[in-house]
Every structure is written in structure tokens, then in C-alpha cells.
Amino acid sequence: MTASTAMPPVFLHPLADRNGVPSALLLDAGGLQADAVPAGALQELASGSMSCYYRAGQAEAVNHLLDEAGWQPLPADKVHHSDSALAAELPAGANWIEGDWFLAPPPKPVGSQAASRALALKLVQLVSADADTHEIEALLRQDPTLSYHLLRLVNSLGMGTGRRVTSFSQAILILGRSQLRRWLNLMLFSSREADQRSAMLLARVSVRARAMELLAKAAGHDKPHQEQAFMAGMFSLLGVLFGMPLAEVLKPLTISEAVQQALLVREGELGQLLDVVEAAEHDDLAALTQGLQALQIDGASFNQIQAEAYLWMQGVAAGKAGNPHA
């Protein structure tokens, strides 16, 4: 692919409902021209499970095209913006919450929540170190929630041979190590009642990981590099999740030097991919354009990558995401 300015990248963000659960998408269409609306990608997103909105007040021709693509205008008074921990009381008229409130420090995990996350992190460590299946199975048996979701995932994917999968060893064998590692990373962010941030963190990290994987593919990298890009995106918010320095969280994990360099100092090809997705999260058009040009990925391709990443995130949120067949 060659860099092009014919179709500019667009900025998408998940919106949380009043309970902090990602339930809609918001398109920032400021400055978007009618001949540069990525109708195909937007129609794909409108066919997903989340409501799709755009900020009201854009040019009439753009509004019309967005309406035709299945998106709805969202009045400003229906959205509450917060970049810090959510207040106990939200404005009465606000139906949606935007902003980075879910990146605020976490509540201190207690009891079963703390134990479950610690076990999930230990499982990630075992899988990344290519530990024996029996070790992984023994640890899975200690957490009913993780065990339930593993068996539910394998059965929902129809990955068996027509019979229901009921044993951990069978589930591990069917998934394979790569998919098991991917699933366990997602489970680290899965919703816990005591942490209101977790659903939105899962949404953010899912989009990051899948978008980085697809960007690596679009840039011409091979499958192992694409998998590393996914893992870098997934690990990038572990520090936020645990309320610890990322370097400290990564210390017990067996991960490649390239992933570590990307996460800790934003260096290398993986660091470049992470910079691109973070620029999109921050609506930084200059940094995003520069990053895409360096990767030789055009705006239209990036918009399609975003659409695929957000659709995959919706599958994750619904518990249906398996092998994305990148």
C-alpha cells in the first residue's frame, strides 16, 4: 500500500452507558468533507451490535451521508465527558459517557477479585513460557470464573468435533497455545463488579490489539510479527489495569525483547504501531498521518482497519471473539 491523502483517517471512540459499559460508538467528523466520508467502513460498523452516533453540527452534506450509513446525530447535552474517575451522580440528561475516565487509578482489588486477576496473570505467564498443559490445567481449576469462560468460549466457537467440550485439557488442545494466550489476556480485563473501569478497559485494549495486528499485516509483516503486535497492544494497558508501573507488571512475563521495547520505550516497529493507535485514540491527526505515512498505509485502509477492530471489540464484549483469522 502507498500513503495517500485522498481519504483522511477518521476518529472513532466507544461511548459508555450510565453504568460504564461500552454500548455505542462516536464518530468525530469535524472537518470531514462529503467526498471523504468512508461510507463502506461506517456502514459495516452500523451493522454491528452497538449504536453509532456522530457529533451534531457538521456540514449538512456530511450529515446526510452519515445518516445514510446508519449513523445518528448525538446532541451535546446527551454526552457527559470525564477524564477522571466517574462521579457518583451523573448529569440527569446524559445518556452516554465519553473521555478517558477508565484510565484513572483502580480501586484496590480485594478478595476473590484480587485472587482471580492474580491467577489470570499467572496463567499468562505459564502460557507465554510454553509451560506443560498439566500445569496450566491445574491453575485453571483454581478459578471457577476463568474455567467457565474458557469452556464457554471453546463451545461457542464450534471448534470441537460436534461434541461438547467439557475438559480443560481438551479445551487447551482445541484452542492452541496462541489462541489460549490471546484469550487469557482478554480475561485479565474482563468485567469485575468492584472495578467499574474494566468493561471500558477491555474495549480499549481489544481495539488496540486488533488494530495493531491488522496494521502489522497491512504493513507487510509476517504472521509471527502480527501476533507480537497483538500482544503488545494487549499488554500495553496492564499497568493501568493493576495500578502499577507497567515495567513491574511485565517483569514476571516471558515476552520478546521487541514487545518490551515497544511497551516501555516505544521503540522498534511495534513501538511505531503503538504510537499510531495511540494517536488515533487522542484525535491527533498530525501524529496519526505521520505514522501512517511511515508505514505506507493510506487513510482508507486505516479506516477499514478501525472498522474491523471495533467490530472485533464488539464480539469480545459479547463473549464471541475467537480467532480473527488475520
Side-chain angles (χ1 to χ4, degrees):
M1 283 179 228
T2 57
S4 169
T5 55
M7 178 71 72
V10 296
F11 295 108
L12 297 170
H13 302 285
L15 293 174
D17 62 19
R18 292 180 65 89
N19 295 316
V21 177
S23 304
L25 299 179
L26 178 64
L27 169 67
D28 283 329
L32 191 62
Q33 301 298 313
D35 59 357
V37 172
L42 295 180
Q43 286 169 358
E44 275 192 68
L45 286 166
S47 69
S49 60
M50 291 185 176
S51 302
C52 293
Y53 297 100
Y54 62 89
R55 292 195 192 278
Q58 305 301 323
E60 191 57 39
V62 173
N63 289 349
H64 178 70
L65 288 170
L66 293 175
D67 291 340
E68 284 193 331
W71 290 63
Q72 308 168 56
L74 185 62
D77 61 356
K78 296 299 182 183
V79 185
H80 173 67
H81 187 102
S82 179
D83 287 324
S84 57
L86 289 184
E89 294 293 329
L90 297 173
N95 297 331
W96 305 103
I97 309 164
E98 67 171 338
D100 286 341
W101 58 271
F102 51 91
L103 300 181
K108 186 175 178 61
V110 295
S112 60
Q113 179 195 6
S116 185
R117 281 215 170 128
L119 272 175
L121 190 57
K122 177 66 175 175
L123 279 166
V124 171
Q125 183 181 352
L126 285 177
V127 174
S128 65
D130 204 25
D132 185 81
T133 297
H134 294 299
E135 288 185 76
I136 298 170
E137 185 177 356
L139 205 56
L140 269 170
R141 291 181 183 279
Q142 298 179 36
D143 191 321
T145 302
L146 285 173
S147 304
Y148 165 77
H149 283 293
L150 173 62
L151 295 178
R152 178 171 171 258
L153 172 70
V154 176
N155 283 301
S156 70
L157 292 176
M159 296 176 73
T161 55
R163 64 183 187 279
R164 190 164 184 79
V165 177
T166 57
S167 75
F168 298 131
S169 57
Q170 187 183 9
I172 293 168
L173 180 64
I174 289 172
L175 273 180
R177 290 306 179 94
S178 176
Q179 285 303 307
L180 179 63
R181 183 165 58 246
R182 180 171 296 214
W183 173 82
L184 287 171
N185 290 329
L186 290 170
M187 283 300 299
L188 283 172
F189 291 89
S190 64
S191 185
R192 302 282 193 248
E193 289 183 7
D195 189 350
Q196 190 178 29
R197 311 168 311 142
S198 59
M200 283 295 287
L201 272 175
L202 176 61
R204 169 68 64 86
V205 83
S206 298
V207 171
R208 266 195 191 190
R210 182 65 175 137
M212 285 182 65
E213 181 179 35
L214 292 170
L215 284 167
K217 181 181 180 181
H221 296 301
D222 60 17
K223 278 283 189 180
H225 195 96
Q226 293 170 35
E227 180 67 21
Q228 282 199 324
F230 181 93
M231 301 306 294
M234 191 60 64
F235 283 152
S236 64
L237 289 175
L238 284 181
V240 174
L241 176 69
F242 288 100
M244 298 164 54
L246 182 57
E248 191 175 331
V249 180
L250 296 178
K251 196 175 296 183
L253 301 181
T254 305
I255 58 177
S256 71
E257 182 68 20
V259 172
Q260 288 209 49
Q261 290 295 305
L263 294 175
L264 300 180
V265 292
R266 294 298 191 273
E267 288 186 354
E269 294 170 343
L270 297 178
Q272 187 180 26
L273 297 177
L274 186 53
D275 282 340
V276 167
V277 296
E278 287 186 334
E281 291 167 3
H282 300 146
D283 291 0
D284 188 339
L285 181 59
L288 177 58
T289 301
Q290 182 179 359
L292 291 176
Q293 287 175 345
L295 293 170
Q296 293 190 304
I297 296 173
D298 59 50
S301 298
F302 176 74
N303 291 337
Q304 187 59 45
I305 284 170
Q306 278 211 105
E308 289 187 38
Y310 273 95
L311 286 170
W312 193 77
M313 175 271 286
Q314 293 176 46
V316 168
K320 297 174 183 176
N323 190 341
H325 303 292

